[in-house]
Amino acid sequence: MVRFLMENLGKSGCSIGDNFIKAVDCKRKISGGYVRGGGIMVCSNYMNMQDEVNQVLIHELIHAYDDCTAKNLNWANCAHHACSEIRAGHLSGDCHFKRELLRGYMKLRGHEQDCVKRRVMKSVMANPHCSETAAKDAMEAVWQTCYNDTRPFDRAP
Ligand SMILES: [Zn+2]
C-alpha cells in the first residue's frame, strides 16, 4: 500500500523529494505527521513494530495525496482537515478490527465508523483553528462525502 500510494503521488504530479519521509524523535506522544512542504515524519521513538510504521506511512501518505490533489485545500479549515482525516482513518485500516482489539475497544457493530470518528475528532481538535464543537460539526457535515471518497483506491482497501 505504501508503494501504491507513493506511485500515485508521483502520477498525480506531486513532488516527492528524496527526504520526503523522515524518521524523527518526537517529544509529543504522536505517531507521526505530515507537513506541507516538509513531507512525512514518523516518530521512531514511539514505533515498536514494522506494522506500526507502515500504518503511519499509509495514513500520512493519504494526507499528502489530499494536499496535492484537492484544489485549495486549507488545513486551517476544520471541514477540510476533517475530510482528510476521515479518508486517512478509513483507507489506512487504522480502525481494522484486529487493531481496535489491541487498543481494548471491543464493541463490534459499527465499530469501524465509531473508531474513525474518534480518531478524526482527536486530530481535528488538535488543530488550533478548531474547537471541539467546530470539529464535530465539520466532521458531521463532510462525513458522507469524504468517507465514500476512496481515491486513489477503487474502494476502501
Ligand atoms: Zn491524520
Side-chain angles (χ1 to χ4, degrees):
M1 271 177 75
V2 168
R3 209 165 288 143
F4 175 82
L5 285 166
M6 295 285 277
E7 275 167 21
N8 268 278
L9 275 170
K11 273 189 221 153
S12 308
C14 314
S15 62
I16 316 168
D18 282 343
N19 286 314
F20 190 71
I21 296 168
K22 288 175 278 297
V24 295
D25 247 35
C26 298
K27 291 199 180 75
R28 275 200 301 146
K29 200 171 183 325
I30 52 170
S31 45
Y34 165 76
V35 178
R36 182 179 288 168
I40 290 171
M41 56 165 191
V42 178
C43 297
S44 47
N45 51 324
Y46 293 124
M47 299 288 120
N48 298 305
M49 299 181 285
Q50 181 64 45
D51 183 60
E52 293 174 73
V53 177
N54 300 347
Q55 203 59 33
V56 174
L57 283 175
I58 294 164
H59 181 111
E60 302 305 336
L61 279 165
I62 290 167
H63 287 323
Y65 179 84
D66 287 352
D67 197 27
C68 168
T69 60
K71 289 245 185 319
N72 305 317
L73 194 152
N74 174 8
W75 293 104
N77 178 316
C78 308
H80 290 190
H81 186 187
C83 186
S84 190
E85 292 298 347
I86 292 167
R87 283 174 30 76
H90 180 210
L91 302 174
S92 67
D94 280 344
C95 289
H96 279 177
F97 181 60
K98 197 178 63 182
R99 271 183 254 281
E100 272 288 90
L101 277 183
L102 288 174
R103 290 188 197 108
Y105 292 96
M106 308 286 261
K107 204 180 111 200
L108 298 183
R109 223 155 57 89
H111 97 277
E112 200 268 347
Q113 294 204 9
D114 286 351
C115 165
V116 174
K117 283 182 181 163
R118 190 177 73 234
R119 295 167 70 86
V120 170
M121 282 299 290
K122 203 175 156 212
S123 296
V124 179
M125 278 162 57
N127 182 331
H129 302 278
C130 309
S131 65
E132 180 170 358
T133 318
K136 192 157 194 296
D137 290 349
M139 179 176 75
E140 274 162 16
V142 299
W143 181 266
Q144 281 300 329
T145 311
C146 303
Y147 192 84
N148 290 316
D149 177 2
T150 59
R151 285 171 306 142
F153 304 100
D154 292 331
R155 55 189 169 80

